[in-house]
Amino acid sequence: MQDNNLKFNKSAIARELNVDRRTVDKYLKGFKKKAHRDKPSKVDEFKDVIQNLLSSDTQVFHYKSVLYRYLTDNYGMCIPAPTFYHYIKSVPEFDDYFRKYSSSSESGTVIRFETRYGEQAQLDWKESIPFILADTGETINVNVLVLILGYSRFRIYKPAVCMTQDVLMHLLTESFEAIGGVPKVVLTDNMKTVMAQARTKYQNGKVNNRFEVFAKDFGFEVIPCKAATPKTKGKVESQMKYLDEIRAYSGQLDLVELYELIERINNRVNNSICQGTGRIPIMEFKKEKDSLLPLPHENVRNQYRIRTRQVKVNAASMINVKSNQYSVPRDYVGKDVTYQIHDSTIYVYFNTKLIAVHPVSTRKLNYALDYYTDVLATKYINRSSDEVREMAKHNLEIIGGIYE
């Protein structure tokens, strides 16, 4: 019609298409409908927070899922996960941040296998996670022992500052007690605290004498994987990504709070649907528990514990350890607590909960500033928290009781 210099009959087109005449006019003038609406995302209100977190010098987020959970837990974000992931991918600077942590998929065929009730557990360490303590500013390397039951996928996470053989056997003893039994086989890698000689393609390897005695006392068989074959214990290897959430809290927590975080992650994973089985580990564990081997007598288990002593918290919120005093939170005044000493560190527990950590010291009085401030606040209830904290620092400087 344009070629023959004829005019459009807009009214006729509108009647034929059952649309408004003005709509026809709009399209004839070149209007094109957008493929997507310019609708702001609900995640936009958290954009500044996300930028600050991803540019932090201390906090690290290896996975978008870790950032999503951190915002949900600490900023009250209530947005569906797929919406959040799509938003992160749509913002180039955010997408680039996570790309640097993504790894290419490994080549090679993976043969999946399953085990029967109580048959096998897989053991490994999540090693040397750098973590800055909020109270002291000190950087430590956190290690987490991971034990996972092969059938139910029920996990036990046990944090530790070091990975000595004494600590390994102590944590395994606690883990077996936590599940109420012992698996028939423990599949592990060639860690030196277990193996005297590594298993390779050409040799069977040899369990070291002390760990072999430990295994016999508990009744399980140790089966090491061949060196450089992590897929053999893929069930426990797959757990390591959950523990990368620890990096997101670097510089935000003290050691006690870090241990509490690891316990929360452990409980959450055990109560979530396992991607490998489609079932909830804690529900499947109820079926597997009765098939585990019985625990050895308590006298046998006690041989492998790091020695535990019981003390009462005095009115000053302190405990006595080898003639020196160490502070604990004031909530435990008058209560019986236990402590362990290993690797020059005192770990104080109430029941099974870690409540305080102190370096072994030669001082008579050893206060953690936060604990002392909390006690002082009960006396000066009309003072602000900043005033009380300054008073606490002044007092501790005078008595020389604060440790660095």
Side-chain angles (χ1 to χ4, degrees), residues 47-74:
K47 185 173 182 178
D48 291 342
V49 176
I50 295 171
Q51 284 177 324
N52 289 334
L53 290 172
L54 298 188
S55 60
S56 170
D57 293 330
T58 57
Q59 295 171 273
V60 180
F61 300 84
H62 277 190
Y63 303 98
K64 290 190 279 286
S65 58
V66 173
L67 177 61
Y68 173 76
R69 186 163 296 281
Y70 187 89
L71 291 168
T72 302
D73 292 345
N74 297 282

Side-chain angles (χ1 to χ4, degrees), residues 32 64 66 76 85 107 116 119 191 221 260 301 327:
K32 292 183 179 181
K64 290 190 279 286
V66 173
Y85 300 151
S107 59
R116 299 179 65 83
E119 184 67 31
M191 60 182 78
E221 179 187 359
E260 291 173 347
R301 305 200 303 269
S327 62

Side-chain angles (χ1 to χ4, degrees), residues 99-140:
R99 281 184 183 277
K100 68 184 179 184
Y101 291 115
S102 64
S103 57
S104 57
S105 58
E106 297 179 13
S107 59
T109 303
V110 177
I111 301 175
R112 177 172 175 151
F113 69 94
E114 297 293 343
T115 52
R116 299 179 65 83
Y117 299 122
E119 184 67 31
Q120 185 196 91
Q122 296 185 8
L123 173 71
D124 204 356
W125 285 99
K126 175 73 171 179
E127 299 181 31
S128 302
I129 306 171
F131 191 89
I132 300 173
L133 298 176
D135 52 346
T136 64
E138 177 190 3
T139 299
I140 62 171

